[in-house]
Amino acid sequence: MPQNVPWFVRARLKTRQLMLLIAIDEEGNIHRAAESLAMSQPAASKLLKDLEEMIGVPLFERLPRGMSPTWYGETMIRHARIALASLGEAGAEIEALKGGYAGSVSIGAIAGPAMSLLPTALARVAKEHPDLRVSLLVESSDVLLERLEQNRIDFLVGRMFEGHDKRHLHYQALAEEEICAIARPGHPILALESIDLAELARGSWIVPPEGSVLRHRFELMFRGAGLQPPKQVLSTTSLVFISKMLQESDYMAVVPVDVARHYARHDMVRIVPVELSCRMDSFGLITRTDWLLSPGARVVLQALQEAATEVYGTPPAA
């Protein structure tokens, strides 16, 4: 076979081999990986051996209690996930077109823009492309970036931080996100003439989970003033739970301003009149540079870019 033919053609690479790589990585054991793919262990071992011989490098390190991918293996596993996800997307798009739909798009967003940006953009998409099916996941940036890496969402509106691997990501800044405190109407703290950090530290709070950037900056705000952070805290990102819990207790919550304004407009909460120094970094549109967006995803992305110009005054994307 000519040498200019791609290696995977010369190797007669099988989708079963790609599936096996992912299964071994997830199971840590070729026996359990083979079981998950409904094949025998000898057959799985031969598939892996053939692939390693063709590539010329070991993909897994054989350990006493299982298998761990080598650097070569991690590279193959990452691209195997991309290849299989792409084939899955192709099948889903074809089925959608056969069913009379324009395709499906899955996007992610953090809470603030989910309240302020997404409704404007998605309403426009629904009007102009009624057959396009869109699903939205509202989560933290860390969770959404993991979903993006796993090809479970097409793109997201969120943040990238210093520790994130940015090699295959493109970031278009949209806006900064302000943070505020909210409480139920009639909360005792709203009756105070002036509110300081010492008073806030004595309160009960609903905060993001430990490890999140906002949680860290919220606690740092008190420590920087020589105070201990609030001791009575509930950790969650569920806006439904937060709004209900505030109505039935004297808890306060730290949330993006866009979220606070939404619930305040419906008379469910009041914004506590105090400025918090735990500001968040800017957020933006995050797409992958090693992944081609479907026509439907490009439609939704463009709608978000146009809506961002109206909502945040963001310059139009190049």
Side-chain angles (χ1 to χ4, degrees):
M1 188 173 291
Q3 288 299 310
N4 60 350
V5 174
W7 73 268
F8 52 84
V9 176
R10 288 185 275 115
R12 294 182 173 84
L13 186 67
K14 305 176 180 67
T15 54
R16 295 280 279 178
Q17 287 172 313
L18 300 182
M19 295 169 64
L20 179 62
L21 292 179
I22 296 171
I24 296 174
D25 182 48
E26 293 177 347
E27 299 291 342
N29 178 292
I30 196 166
H31 176 70
R32 291 194 298 270
E35 285 184 341
S36 70
L37 297 176
M39 66 171 67
S40 67
Q41 182 172 334
S45 298
K46 185 176 187 309
L47 279 177
L48 178 59
K49 180 174 179 292
D50 290 346
L51 182 57
E52 289 181 321
E53 288 180 352
M54 179 58 208
I55 299 177
V57 294
L59 299 178
F60 289 92
E61 182 181 1
R62 277 68 173 176
L63 304 172
R65 294 188 177 182
M67 301 172 69
S68 176
T70 63
W71 280 7
Y72 307 112
E74 289 181 0
T75 299
M76 276 299 300
I77 290 166
R78 179 166 59 86
H79 287 283
R81 292 185 189 278
I82 293 172
L84 292 176
S86 183
L87 290 173
E89 287 292 320
E93 285 186 36
I94 289 172
E95 288 301 315
L97 292 170
K98 285 165 62 178
Y101 299 101
S104 60
V105 182
S106 179
I107 59 177
I110 56 177
M115 291 288 193
S116 59
L117 175 65
L118 272 296
T120 300
L122 297 185
R124 185 171 302 163
V125 169
K127 181 178 179 180
E128 298 176 359
H129 303 274
D131 293 332
L132 185 62
R133 295 179 293 182
V134 181
S135 61
L136 171 64
L137 173 64
V138 180
E139 261 293 358
S140 66
S141 293
D142 285 338
V143 172
L144 295 176
L145 284 166
E146 182 180 353
R147 298 292 192 275
L148 184 66
E149 183 181 355
Q150 296 169 344
N151 304 296
R152 295 168 65 179
I153 57 176
D154 293 292
F155 61 88
L156 65 97
V157 184
R159 297 184 183 84
M160 286 200 300
F161 300 107
E162 191 63 33
H164 289 146
D165 184 353
K166 306 174 182 66
R167 287 174 297 174
H168 303 293
L169 299 176
H170 176 264
Y171 175 80
Q172 177 194 345
L174 294 181
E176 293 184 351
E177 187 171 51
E178 298 181 10
I179 300 299
C180 69
I182 56 175
R184 63 173 176 82
H187 191 290
I189 202 164
L190 299 174
L192 299 178
E193 291 186 5
S194 63
I195 305 171
D196 56 19
L197 278 181
E199 187 65 39
L200 295 180
R202 289 190 286 269
S204 304
W205 286 86
I206 304 175
V207 295
E210 289 188 12
S212 67
V213 175
L214 181 53
R215 174 69 172 271
H216 172 70
R217 294 184 180 178
F218 177 76
E219 294 177 348
L220 198 62
M221 175 178 67
F222 293 97
R223 297 187 189 282
L227 299 168
Q228 286 295 316
K231 294 181 179 180
Q232 188 169 9
V233 296
L234 283 172
S235 302
T236 184
T237 57
S238 171
L239 295 177
V240 174
F241 173 81
I242 290 173
S243 61
K244 185 66 174 175
M245 189 68 186
L246 293 184
Q247 291 174 349
E248 298 187 3
S249 70
D250 281 342
Y251 273 85
M252 293 175 282
V254 56
V255 298
V257 168
D258 288 332
V259 173
R261 287 172 178 165
H262 170 78
Y263 285 112
R265 280 196 297 268
H266 291 81
D267 204 34
M268 298 171 66
V269 304
R270 295 287 185 270
I271 297 177
V272 179
V274 60
E275 185 175 350
L276 302 182
S277 61
C278 52
R279 296 181 178 273
M280 296 298 291
D281 299 324
S282 64
F283 60 85
L285 289 163
I286 303 176
T287 54
R288 288 179 52 165
T289 57
D290 59 348
W291 185 264
L292 293 176
L293 291 176
S294 67
R298 291 199 298 271
V299 164
V300 178
L301 180 63
Q302 182 178 350
L304 283 169
Q305 290 169 332
E306 292 172 353
T309 302
E310 301 168 11
V311 175
Y312 306 125
T314 305

